């Protein structure tokens, strides 16, 4: 499974800690940066990660900014991306089960690191309920009139 991580300056510490955590757990992780607290624009990082997720079916993206909000807004502009911000495990679980989320965003300044690890673990451990026709139908409708 391909896991792509990215952050802005508000999330790079949490992003680095999560990358280390998942690597230690045996996951293959691609860290697309940033690696310092120098100011960057979060939509640029969201684009890099989302393009990887779109190019690699089945991949997941993880984006960390100060709150997770800007990354979430940016990621959902990309066709084929279903991004959720999550502040607890239940949100992460439901985003996978019902919404087939393929990108998770987190707040490096608003969520405790241990909570973030638990959120990521829950996201990765939960499958989309693809046997439930209503969920498949609703997720297809997310693409909307502009997505086609
Ligand atoms: C950067 O200061 C901050 O605005 C950004 O990390 C993020 O929280 C935006 O949603």
């Amino acid at each position: 499974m391909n896991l792509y991580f990215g952050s802005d300056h508000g999330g790079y510490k949490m992003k680095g800690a999560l990358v280390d955590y998942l690597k230690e757990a045996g996951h293959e992780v691609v860290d697309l940066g940033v690696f310092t607290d120098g100011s960057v624009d979060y939509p640029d990082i969201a684009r890099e990660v989302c393009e990887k997720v779109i190019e690699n079916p089945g991949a997941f993206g993880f984006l960390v900014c100060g709150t997770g909000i800007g990354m979430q807004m940016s990621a959902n502009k990309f066709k084929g991306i279903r991004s959720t911000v999550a502040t607890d495990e239940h949100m992460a679980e439901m985003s996978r089960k019902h919404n087939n989320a393929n990108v998770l965003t987190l707040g490096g300044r608003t969520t405790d690191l241990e909570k973030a690890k638990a959120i990521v673990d829950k996201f990765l451990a939960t499958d989309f309920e693809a046997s439930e026709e209503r969920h498949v139908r609703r997720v297809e409708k997310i693409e909307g009139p502009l997505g086609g």
Side-chain angles (χ1 to χ4, degrees):
M1 184 189 299
N2 291 322
L3 307 181
Y4 295 97
F5 272 73
S7 72
D8 73 355
H9 51 286
Y12 87 100
K13 280 188 184 161
M14 175 181 278
K15 183 264 296 168
L18 291 172
V19 166
D20 291 345
Y21 172 68
L22 290 175
K23 282 184 175 172
E24 281 167 22
H27 291 282
E28 279 189 34
V29 181
V30 179
D31 187 347
L32 295 168
V34 299
F35 302 99
T36 73
D37 62 2
S39 184
V40 295
D41 296 341
Y42 54 81
D44 297 335
I45 313 302
R47 173 182 295 278
E48 281 191 57
V49 168
C50 289
E51 285 177 349
K52 291 291 185 192
V53 172
I54 291 164
E55 284 165 15
N56 295 278
F60 290 124
F62 298 86
L63 290 162
V64 190
C65 61
T67 58
I69 297 169
M71 287 295 198
Q72 144 93 350
M73 289 180 171
S74 303
N76 275 319
K77 294 293 182 182
F78 292 87
K79 181 170 166 55
I81 295 295
R82 292 172 301 280
S83 177
T84 184
V85 65
T87 54
D88 62 30
E89 296 93 316
H90 182 64
M91 290 174 72
E93 180 178 16
M94 297 312 289
S95 77
R96 291 286 307 127
K97 272 188 180 174
H98 286 193
N99 315 112
N100 200 12
N102 53 11
V103 171
L104 172 67
T105 76
L106 294 159
R109 294 173 178 156
T110 54
T111 298
D112 171 83
L113 177 59
E114 292 310 308
K115 175 62 83 174
K117 288 177 184 175
I119 292 169
V120 169
D121 282 342
K122 182 61 79 175
F123 187 87
L124 289 174
T126 309
D127 290 328
F128 177 50
E129 289 182 343
S131 60
E132 298 288 337
E133 191 276 333
R134 70 187 190 285
H135 295 320
V136 174
R137 182 182 69 242
R138 291 165 187 166
V139 168
E140 283 173 355
K141 286 186 178 182
I142 288 175
E143 294 298 338
L146 296 177

